[in-house]
Amino acid sequence: MAHSAAHPAPHSASAGSTGLLARLNGAHHKLALNSFLVIVLAHWAEHLVQAYQIWVLGNPRPQARGVLGQWFPWLVSSEWLHYGYAIVMLVFLFLLRPGFTGRARTWWTIALAIQFWHHIEHLLLLIQAQTGTIFFGQPVVTSVVQLIVPRVELHLFYNSVVFIPMVVAMYLHLRPNEREREQMSCSCAGHRSEVRPLAPHAA
Ligand SMILES: [Zn+2]
């Protein structure tokens, strides 16, 4: 993956998806990460509005559908809205991972692994909603861990345990140590050509 030392020009001929992946993790990593963050925050907004509808407004849970769900209830009842967010997040976490190095890569990988499972849970819900077959002998569509934890609380938890390592990864990515910076081919931490002070804050 990290052939950048041998090929200093990332815009060279390597065509197709390889070239796109290289650009997403190189020149466009910052833009791609920011776009992803907007999507993630929109998703959080949905869940926080839903929490407000339940615990502040006292709405019954089936009527607490977040922002988009208020206007397009079928998006929620069909499970497409939830699944859409889950698969988009999984794809972004997967595609933007090579741009991370060192400790940031480790934290990003943790977020990816947890999101993979979160996505499986949503896939189970989607299959039940689409086929009309409800698993686990439950009255409503149900995912595996939902057998233990109620759905709203469970997904607040899932979103937190994906978001926290993501934020840690992004923080470390913006503040790499020397070795991590050497391996980076993006501009997220500033350009390497910048003159960096020799002050003793190399911690
Ligand atoms: Zn980057």
Side-chain angles (χ1 to χ4, degrees):
M1 259 177 225
H3 295 159
S4 53
H7 304 283
H11 299 286
S12 60
S14 65
S17 59
T18 315
L20 177 65
L21 197 60
R23 286 198 300 279
L24 273 179
N25 288 284
H28 301 319
H29 200 227
K30 197 176 205 170
L31 177 65
L33 281 177
N34 284 333
S35 309
F36 181 36
L37 205 52
V38 169
I39 295 171
V40 169
L41 292 178
H43 186 212
W44 262 122
E46 292 275 1
H47 278 275
L48 295 181
V49 166
Q50 185 192 37
Y52 183 83
Q53 288 166 335
I54 292 173
W55 286 298
V56 179
L57 300 180
N59 293 356
R61 290 182 178 224
Q63 271 77 59
R65 300 191 190 95
V67 185
L68 284 171
Q70 284 309 116
W71 281 279
F72 308 104
W74 61 269
L75 269 179
V76 173
S77 57
S78 66
E79 295 291 341
W80 271 119
L81 182 64
H82 295 292
Y83 186 75
Y85 271 123
I87 190 78
V88 165
M89 285 188 66
L90 185 63
V91 168
F92 268 96
L93 283 165
F94 179 76
L95 289 181
L96 301 183
R97 181 175 165 273
F100 289 87
T101 62
R103 297 163 301 161
R105 170 84 68 95
T106 303
W107 284 97
W108 194 260
T109 304
I110 291 169
L112 173 64
I114 299 170
Q115 180 60 19
F116 179 74
W117 170 249
H118 183 197
H119 155 268
I120 295 290
E121 292 269 80
H122 278 294
L123 183 61
L124 286 173
L125 293 168
L126 179 73
I127 291 169
Q128 292 170 77
Q130 295 302 313
T131 62
T133 308
I134 295 180
F135 300 161
F136 313 117
Q138 299 292 310
V140 293
V141 296
T142 303
S143 68
V144 176
V145 183
Q146 204 182 327
L147 295 170
I148 308 167
V149 183
R151 174 156 179 174
V152 174
E153 288 83 347
L154 175 62
H155 287 273
L156 283 172
F157 172 74
Y158 274 144
N159 285 302
S160 301
V161 293
V162 172
F163 188 63
I164 291 166
M166 255 184 68
V167 169
V168 173
M170 285 184 175
Y171 178 85
L172 293 170
H173 189 56
L174 296 179
R175 288 162 185 78
N177 60 32
E178 286 302 324
R179 195 172 49 82
E180 290 162 343
R181 184 183 291 268
E182 284 302 308
Q183 296 166 341
M184 285 167 66
S185 55
C186 60
S187 61
C188 296
H191 293 285
R192 250 172 275 185
S193 54
E194 283 174 9
V195 179
R196 300 174 69 240
L198 296 169
H201 64 270

